[in-house]
């Protein structure tokens, strides 16, 4: 496994690669969720590049950029064990040299709603850094988690708009045995908060049961029930509970097609997001998506 820290070295390493290249962009603080993306890339691509970069431009001034877990030695050990070929771990100055002005932005409701409404700088930072990584590494495939469902859809749109010749692959969320979605930010939770955080998977499960087993189709009714469930946890504060179209993330009033249930909840000072697909049986769109194998969560 080769570790490279400069853009020039990364371009050089890329030029020497024949065959298919897969890229797994991460901010480090690796867990099994990240490693599942690396494993998929390892099985599909001849060369696997993993980037480790805590991207300052996607954090707001009051967010956790400084506190974000960083442990390069540990991340490298984990990636070595997965047989990754190249780890790209650039400095902030490498990614944003003086005078940098190649900002890449996806405009419109897809980036303005949900995470975009709570973190106004977030998607501009993500699309800028991912576009830069894609231009440096030039992979045929890049792998992202459904855990960050809106980010995945924004990155897909960005790649289309920028005409980048890459397939954006979305992969399912890996969870702890008790259901909590794996996240680097789980490390911030105290043991009491860690217990309280289980309200997220519990609410998602409730939503799924209401839609898929009880036939609930009224999105407001669903959101109210979930908000009630979350409010019963004293350490939890809701940023949003949303029910949207599965692909476009447009808000639904009636759940009459494949949908996504998205949560953002603060547990103490830690902000967690999670989501689940909702598949109302019987609709034509649902059956079509099922045929295409389109559900990954
Ligand atoms: P991050 O380091 O948090 O920016 O995440 C890097 C990539 O890993 C993103 O595409 C995330 O969606 C993905 N990811 C994060 N958590 C998980 C998880 N629990 N399961 C699967 N993928 C994940």
């Amino acid at each position: 496994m080769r570790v490279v820290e400069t853009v020039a070295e990364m371009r050089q390493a890329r030029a020497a690669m024949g065959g298919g290249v897969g890229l797994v962009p991460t901010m480090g603080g690796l867990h099994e969720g990240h490693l599942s993306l690396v494993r998929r890339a390892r099985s599909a691509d001849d060369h696997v590049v993993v980037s480790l970069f805590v991207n300052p431009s996607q954090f707001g001034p009051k967010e956790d950029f400084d506190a974000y877990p960083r442990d390069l030695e540990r991340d490298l050990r984990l990636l070595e064990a997965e047989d990754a070929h190249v780890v790209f771990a650039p400095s902030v100055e490498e990614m944003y040299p003086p005078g940098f002005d190649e900002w890449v932005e996806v405009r419109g409701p897809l980036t303005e709603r949900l995470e975009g409404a709570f973190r106004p700088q977030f998607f501009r930072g993500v699309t800028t850094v991912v576009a830069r990584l894609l231009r440096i590494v030039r992979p045929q495939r890049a792998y992202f988690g459904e855990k960050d469902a809106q980010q995945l859809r924004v990155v897909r749109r960005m790649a289309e708009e920028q005409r980048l010749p890459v397939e954006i692959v979305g992969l399912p969320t890996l969870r702890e045995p008790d259901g909590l979605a794996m996240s680097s930010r789980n490390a911030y939770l105290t043991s009491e908060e860690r217990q309280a955080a289980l309200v997220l998977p519990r609410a998602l499960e409730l939503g799924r049961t209401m839609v898929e087993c009880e036939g609930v189709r009224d999105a407001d009714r669903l959101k109210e029930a979930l908000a009630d469930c979350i409010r019963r946890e004293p350490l939890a504060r809701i940023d949003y509970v949303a029910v949207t179209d599965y692909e476009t993330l447009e808000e639904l009033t009636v759940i009459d097609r494949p949908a996504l249930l998205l949560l953002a909840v603060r547990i103490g000072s830690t902000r967690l997001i999670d989501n689940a697909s909702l598949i109302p049986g019987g609709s034509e769109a649902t059956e079509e998506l099922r045929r295409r194998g389109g559900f990954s969560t």
Side-chain angles (χ1 to χ4, degrees), residues 71-91:
D71 187 344
L72 182 63
E73 294 297 305
R74 178 177 178 275
D75 289 346
L76 293 179
R77 271 201 313 277
L78 292 169
L79 293 173
E80 179 98 60
E82 297 301 331
D83 249 344
H85 300 98
V86 175
V87 176
F88 181 41
S91 64

Side-chain angles (χ1 to χ4, degrees), residues 40 146 156 169-172 246-247 258 277 279 285-297:
R40 171 63 79 89
E146 276 285 357
R156 272 209 182 107
V169 181
L171 293 175
Y246 183 78
E247 304 280 358
S277 59
I279 312 189
T286 297
E287 296 317 316
E288 173 57 24
L289 205 62
R290 219 190 276 286
R291 273 195 293 279
R292 286 196 279 131
F295 293 109
S296 52
T297 48

Side-chain angles (χ1 to χ4, degrees), residues 24-34 36-37 58 68 143-149 151 171-175 181-185:
V24 182
T26 82
M27 298 206 298
L30 299 183
H31 51 66
E32 278 292 314
H34 297 116
S36 73
L37 307 186
Q58 70 190 63
Y68 200 84
Y143 297 83
F144 293 84
E146 276 285 357
K147 158 78 168 46
D148 302 283
Q151 168 176 284
L171 293 175
T173 302
L174 256 73
R175 296 177 179 281
M182 290 181 182
S183 162
S184 309
R185 291 191 166 97

Side-chain angles (χ1 to χ4, degrees), residues 77-139:
R77 271 201 313 277
L78 292 169
L79 293 173
E80 179 98 60
E82 297 301 331
D83 249 344
H85 300 98
V86 175
V87 176
F88 181 41
S91 64
V92 172
E93 293 70 31
E94 277 293 316
M95 291 303 277
Y96 297 100
F100 177 86
D101 68 348
E102 290 162 38
W103 296 97
V104 174
E105 209 162 349
V106 168
R107 293 180 194 278
L110 181 61
T111 51
E112 286 161 6
R113 301 185 47 245
L114 303 165
E115 286 304 284
F118 283 87
R119 307 183 68 193
Q121 72 301 318
F122 177 67
F123 286 121
R124 180 177 187 251
V126 168
T127 47
T128 296
V129 81
V130 173
R132 183 146 164 75
L133 288 168
L134 291 173
R135 291 198 161 101
I136 295 166
V137 178
R138 293 183 290 113

Side-chain angles (χ1 to χ4, degrees), residues 228-284:
D228 275 350
C229 161
I230 296 167
R231 280 191 213 107
R232 276 197 290 272
E233 170 47 65
L235 295 181
R237 295 284 174 274
I238 298 172
D239 272 1
Y240 58 77
V241 174
V243 179
T244 71
D245 178 87
Y246 183 78
E247 304 280 358
T248 65
L249 300 192
E250 276 156 357
E251 191 92 33
L252 294 182
T253 48
V254 182
I255 307 162
D256 56 357
R257 66 190 97 160
L260 208 58
L261 173 52
L262 302 110
L263 304 180
V265 176
R266 283 169 288 128
I267 305 287
S269 56
T270 302
R271 188 171 182 280
L272 300 176
I273 59 171
D274 200 352
N275 66 81
S277 59
L278 297 175
I279 312 189
S283 82
E284 209 168 286

Side-chain angles (χ1 to χ4, degrees), residues 207-220:
R208 264 216 167 121
T209 307
M210 287 176 71
V211 172
E212 295 181 6
C213 305
E214 296 167 11
V216 171
R217 295 291 177 267
D218 179 338
D220 280 340

